[in-house]
Amino acid sequence: MTTTSPTTLPTVRPYPGSDPVADPAAVVVGERWRVTVLDEGTFRVEWSDDGGFEDRASTFAIRRRLPVPEYRVERTGDGILITTARARLRYDGRPFSPSGLVVETIGPDANRWRWGQEPRDLGGTARTLDDVDGRMPLEPGIIARDGITVLDDSESFLFEDDGWIGTRMPGRRDVTVFAFGRDFEAALRSYHAVSGPPSLVPRWALGNWWSRYHPYSDTSYLALLDRFAEERLPFSVAVIDMDWHRVDSVPERFGNGWTGYSWEPMLFPDPAGFLAELHRRGMRTTLNLHPADGVRAFEDAYPAVAAFMGVDPEGEQPIPFDLTDRRFLQAYFELLHHPLEEQGVDFWWIDWQQGRTTNLPGVDPLWLLNHFHLLDSARDGGAGMTFSRYAGPGSHRYGVGFSGDAVVSWASLAFQPEFTATAANIGYPWWSHDIGGHTRGVRDDELATRWVQFGVFSPIMRLHSANNPFIRKEPWVFPAEARAAMGEALRFRHRMAPYLHTENHRVARGSALVRPLHHLEPRRDEAYRVPNTYLFGTELLVAPIVAPRDPVSLHGVARAWLPPGTWTDVFTGTVYAGDRFVDLHRTLDSVPVLLRGGGVLPLAAPDELDATANPTAFEVLVAPDTSGSFTLVEDREGAEGRTVETRLEWDHDRSEFRVHGAVGALDAIPSHRRWRITFLAAPAEGQRVDARASDRFSVDLAADAATGAVLALAGAPVVGVDAREAIRGVLERAQSGNPEKLEAWEVVSKDSARADRIVELGTVGLTASLRDVIVELLGSVHPGER
């Protein structure tokens, strides 16, 4: 451990890109009020009892010097009327009131909001899901169906010009109004312009994380990883929960072992060697951190910390946790954390649960932990990485969110997709949940499997469970059906790394990986009625199954609304016409994941499961009913800002797929790559294929990264799947009467119109659940239909 006294404090500096003083041309000032026109639909409105105004950065607003939009000002007595292309703000120049502060949107979404009006936003997210078994209220977001929302920033704390903590003057109100109608993308762009963009997370964070509250030793943890390797189960992040440090060995006079910074030598006699071995295996490591109890005398670093804080180490006086003390903050990072990082710790899991108060009024300790940990992790010039709880608007700047200790229940799973997607309404993109649930509940193998499948199609995939030997997440402790489904899901997550990291770069420009459907179709009422159906990047729509399957059909079901266009299931090849509601039924080995018409989904080849490396071989899934493209973005770890882009383009009219030459930092990717282009369709007659299944065919090509390659097909692929074979399989597996199955099969096999067969199925004595599965398949797009 380092024992020398710290000399610098790199954690205290302005957040990168911070520029909190607005252009004077955007500001209109009265005697005790000030309005800043931040954007055509974004107004900062301040009231001050003392006539002074706040120009320091807040937890939410770090950038107010933005391009000044065109606007018109009319003075009305003591107040003003400000008009932009999007909105009008009328303010009487007095303390805020419903009659004195009014904002109206202009255009097709014209609406009016008054100060004090009950919030009607679409929800944002929440600090934690600890002990939440089902739904919970959400904190506000900044988009609403009526098009106007307000973010009250009056109580947040501030940052001084040098990056240190500041507090607000009493008697001042500070609110930001967003008035964009249903142009939700514009509202969120404006929000991120003021609050800063989301974090760009490292590529390795997008693979599978293994986490379990369990007293592993170095040998037992590595043995576990050996078993994962034997099972071909890929992981990229090792989460070591609190038993990495001294817990039961803490002398009783010091209290419990909840807080700790010293390795438990009985479990980890050689921490640096253990962490180096994890790195050799392509894994990054995070350690759990409960800092509330400060630094006590049993810690390895206590003598150095005590001396630095002016405390006699011989007295064993505890050093209290206080991030509002500059000196403690310096010791906290340089004496407690940096030595552990020198051993090989990559980032920290900040598990703060001890309230919102500090020694400074209005200053939240969770905010301080998130903020200073991010700055410290980026001290060498990288993007930084943190893993912590949500602390309010602006938290999107601080890496990955930990949503808390999830209860093991179907109700808990059923809320997580909506909770995750709705976070995009407050610009928060990187939730990590306790996939499979952390605590309580009962063992349910189907629930565990469905939770893993949702986790694969969530922002961060982190398996986790409590310190209970009967709550486990290793796939081999489950029966064969669940075990196989979990394994395939975990492998698919790593195959998606090229797609996920491309979306990661898009998210860092001000978006989210998981978004509600109303972000895509804000003017369609249907998009608001399926909260658990969401967009997963630009190419995919996901409808996770979050309820038990039917005992007769053996299918789970998710109700979705499909936006206009066609949508192809990447696992079954089934093609659906959009602009309608549909119940999507799936057996336990599948989950509804639909690729948009013309969608291009780049995956690593099946054997390339290292989430830390750019692949040498790809499989690209194409939904070929219309033209489309996707630009793959790659980089190299530790080379922030140096990216390379490869455009992947399907031209339907020419039946041609092109891998364009890569542009940018070519040294970040292999110079030669193999591409398998898989069309979710049947081949045209005479088409050469390198692999074929009932719902897809593949053609291989090789390409130099710099020049690319072109695949010309013999003709347009034939879109759609003949549903009869799929229906035959459904009937074979169904736990129902054989005579009724045969009668249903005879109806399905007829050459009559599908609508007539669907009607006739109603006369067959099938259960409604089984009939629904067959009707879904009959209602899908069949070969040759467009």
Side-chain angles (χ1 to χ4, degrees):
M1 287 283 184
T2 299
T3 58
T4 57
S5 295
T7 58
T8 61
L9 187 53
T11 49
V12 176
R13 62 182 185 275
Y15 190 90
S18 180
D19 195 0
V21 181
D23 188 320
V27 179
V28 184
V29 183
E31 183 180 356
R32 294 190 178 182
W33 56 265
R34 183 170 70 170
V35 176
T36 306
V37 186
L38 295 168
D39 197 350
E40 289 182 340
T42 306
F43 306 95
R44 183 191 188 198
V45 189
E46 299 170 89
W47 168 264
S48 171
D49 289 345
D50 62 6
F53 303 104
E54 190 56 72
D55 282 328
R56 290 172 290 178
S58 72
T59 54
F60 152 61
I62 64 169
R63 300 192 307 197
R64 302 189 190 99
R65 184 171 290 274
L66 302 169
V68 180
E70 292 187 9
Y71 67 96
R72 185 174 68 254
V73 178
E74 301 175 44
R75 295 281 180 172
T76 56
D78 294 331
I80 51 165
L81 175 65
I82 297 178
T83 304
T84 72
R86 286 188 183 268
R88 283 186 292 268
L89 180 144
R90 178 166 56 84
Y91 176 46
D92 64 2
R94 298 184 177 91
F96 301 159
S97 69
S99 61
L101 178 55
V102 181
V103 176
E104 300 173 329
T105 47
I106 299 169
D109 302 316
N111 216 322
R112 178 181 294 114
W113 167 87
R114 295 179 179 276
W115 173 258
Q117 187 172 302
E118 189 72 21
R120 293 184 290 191
D121 65 276
L122 291 165
T125 193
R127 189 166 174 124
T128 182
L129 292 175
D130 279 348
D131 295 321
V132 175
D133 191 3
R135 296 186 60 80
M136 67 174 296
L138 297 176
E139 296 175 26
I142 59 96
I143 62 175
R145 292 186 72 174
D146 61 11
I148 307 172
T149 59
V150 60
L151 192 158
D152 193 339
D153 201 29
S154 305
E155 302 300 322
S156 68
F157 69 89
L158 306 169
F159 296 104
E160 304 290 355
D161 291 344
D162 66 353
W164 186 239
I165 309 161
T167 57
R168 290 187 178 268
M169 296 290 293
R172 297 180 182 180
R173 297 302 302 264
D174 184 354
V175 301
T176 302
V177 180
F178 296 89
F180 287 86
R182 295 200 192 183
D183 191 346
F184 297 158
E185 288 191 2
L188 287 164
R189 280 197 306 271
S190 182
Y191 170 81
H192 283 122
V194 177
S195 197
S199 295
L200 178 72
V201 301
R203 190 182 196 276
W204 44 259
L206 302 172
N208 297 314
W209 298 25
W210 177 257
S211 177
R212 184 183 176 202
Y213 182 15
H214 178 75
Y216 286 109
S217 67
D218 51 5
T219 54
S220 67
Y221 203 95
L222 294 176
L224 173 71
L225 297 186
D226 289 339
R227 180 66 184 274
F228 283 142
E230 291 172 9
E231 301 271 342
R232 292 190 65 251
L233 297 173
F235 287 88
S236 61
V237 175
V239 182
I240 316 294
D241 212 318
M242 61 179 291
D243 288 288
W244 72 270
H245 62 71
R246 298 179 65 181
V247 177
D248 295 333
S249 64
V250 172
E252 187 174 340
R253 69 182 186 277
F254 296 118
N256 62 43
W258 195 247
T259 295
Y261 303 96
S262 308
W263 289 94
E264 173 51 74
M266 296 296 293
L267 298 176
F268 299 96
D270 180 14
F274 170 66
L275 295 170
E277 177 60 21
L278 291 178
H279 284 157
R280 190 190 68 78
R281 295 173 183 236
M283 298 187 72
R284 303 297 182 266
T285 307
T286 183
L287 303 183
N288 179 271
L289 192 64
H290 293 104
D293 290 335
V295 187
R296 291 166 290 171
F298 65 84
E299 300 284 7
D300 295 339
Y302 176 79
V305 174
F308 183 71
M309 296 298 295
V311 173
D312 180 4
E314 297 299 321
E316 296 191 341
Q317 177 183 341
I319 309 301
F321 172 82
D322 182 9
L323 292 190
T324 65
D325 179 339
R326 278 187 184 243
R327 196 163 181 81
F328 176 80
L329 181 69
Q330 188 169 355
Y332 175 81
F333 283 109
E334 297 199 24
L335 296 178
L336 294 177
H337 292 82
H338 291 182
L340 295 167
E341 292 169 15
E342 290 168 6
Q343 292 180 338
V345 177
D346 295 287
F347 65 108
W348 297 94
W349 174 12
I350 306 161
D351 196 358
W352 179 263
Q353 305 168 52
Q354 287 77 29
R356 301 175 184 238
T357 59
T358 64
N359 292 332
L360 292 177
V363 177
D364 183 341
L366 176 59
W367 259 111
L368 296 183
L369 283 163
N370 293 352
H371 180 79
F372 289 123
H373 264 280
L374 189 283
L375 291 181
D376 188 70
S377 69
R379 64 188 181 275
D380 294 329
M385 175 65 175
T386 55
F387 177 36
S388 184
R389 297 172 190 258
Y390 176 81
S395 293
H396 59 270
R397 300 190 299 267
Y398 302 108
V400 173
F402 165 51
S403 66
D405 297 337
V407 175
V408 178
S409 73
W410 283 102
S412 184
L413 170 60
F415 181 52
Q416 281 194 5
E418 176 187 356
F419 178 85
T420 307
T422 306
N425 294 342
I426 193 64
Y428 194 70
W430 293 118
W431 269 128
S432 169
H433 304 303
D434 286 351
I435 295 301
H438 171 80
T439 187
R440 305 207 308 257
V442 299
R443 172 155 180 164
D444 186 324
D445 299 336
E446 182 187 2
L447 168 62
T449 305
R450 292 304 191 193
W451 216 324
V452 168
Q453 291 168 338
F454 163 65
V456 166
F457 295 97
S458 68
I460 299 294
M461 169 55 185
R462 179 178 54 86
L463 293 170
H464 185 72
S465 54
N467 191 12
N468 182 328
F470 302 106
I471 303 178
R472 302 282 293 278
K473 298 301 174 344
E474 300 92 332
W476 54 82
V477 305
F478 293 88
E481 183 187 24
R483 175 179 180 176
M486 289 180 180
E488 288 305 307
L490 292 169
R491 285 185 280 273
F492 194 81
R493 174 70 184 203
H494 273 235
R495 292 192 65 200
M496 282 195 296
Y499 175 68
L500 295 171
H501 195 43
T502 299
E503 294 298 319
N504 179 24
H505 280 274
R506 182 183 60 84
V507 169
R509 295 193 297 269
S511 185
L513 176 64
V514 172
R515 294 175 293 151
L517 288 189
H518 57 249
H519 282 218
L520 182 66
E521 296 285 350
R523 291 180 174 82
R524 294 295 299 269
D525 180 68
E526 299 93 330
Y528 300 85
R529 291 163 54 188
V530 283
N532 271 10
T533 303
Y534 55 83
L535 304 167
F536 192 67
T538 59
E539 307 298 290
L540 296 175
L541 179 149
V542 179
I545 293 174
V546 295
R549 62 184 167 185
D550 175 73
V552 174
S553 72
L554 302 182
H555 284 66
V557 61
R559 176 158 295 178
W561 178 71
L562 306 182
T566 56
W567 298 86
T568 303
D569 191 293
V570 301
F571 298 119
T572 69
T574 307
V575 182
Y576 301 89
D579 204 5
R580 63 175 177 136
F581 287 98
V582 61
D583 285 341
L584 300 168
H585 303 81
R586 298 294 185 272
T587 50
L588 191 61
D589 61 351
S590 186
V591 60
V593 178
L594 308 183
L595 183 61
R596 64 175 179 83
V600 177
L601 179 65
L603 303 172
D607 291 335
E608 301 231 7
L609 299 178
D610 185 352
T612 69
N614 294 319
T616 59
F618 288 85
E619 181 180 20
V620 180
L621 304 187
V622 183
D625 58 296
T626 188
S627 297
S629 67
F630 183 85
T631 300
L632 178 69
V633 181
E634 299 171 278
D635 56 24
R636 185 168 54 206
E637 185 179 352
E640 277 71 22
R642 298 188 70 246
T643 61
V644 57
E645 298 186 354
T646 305
R647 181 175 172 83
L648 308 173
E649 184 176 20
W650 164 243
D651 187 327
H652 174 270
D653 295 336
R654 301 177 65 178
S655 298
E656 182 178 279
F657 188 89
R658 180 180 296 272
V659 178
H660 288 263
V663 177
L666 292 178
D667 60 341
I669 62 174
S671 60
H672 188 79
R673 283 172 153 172
R674 292 176 288 112
W675 301 85
R676 167 160 285 187
I677 313 305
T678 296
F679 298 91
L680 303 178
E685 187 175 351
Q687 173 63 51
R688 175 185 67 86
V689 300
D690 292 296
R692 183 169 183 177
S694 61
D695 62 330
R696 65 195 65 201
F697 72 96
S698 304
V699 182
D700 296 341
L701 71 158
D704 289 330
T707 57
V710 179
L711 169 64
L713 300 183
V718 181
V719 173
V721 176
D722 188 336
R724 275 179 273 211
E725 280 308 303
I727 291 172
R728 183 186 182 95
V730 169
L731 289 169
E732 284 179 345
R733 291 186 295 271
Q735 307 294 291
S736 64
N738 292 319
E740 293 82 4
K741 290 184 184 182
L742 178 59
E743 187 178 356
W745 177 245
E746 290 171 345
V747 172
V748 169
S749 299
K750 290 182 177 181
D751 291 329
S752 57
R754 279 185 290 158
D756 293 338
R757 284 181 280 165
I758 289 172
V759 171
E760 190 173 357
L761 273 175
T763 68
V764 178
L766 299 176
T767 63
S769 61
L770 181 54
R771 187 183 305 116
D772 287 345
V773 179
I774 297 171
V775 168
E776 176 203 331
L777 292 168
L778 282 176
S780 64
V781 176
H782 286 213
E785 296 179 339
R786 289 287 304 282

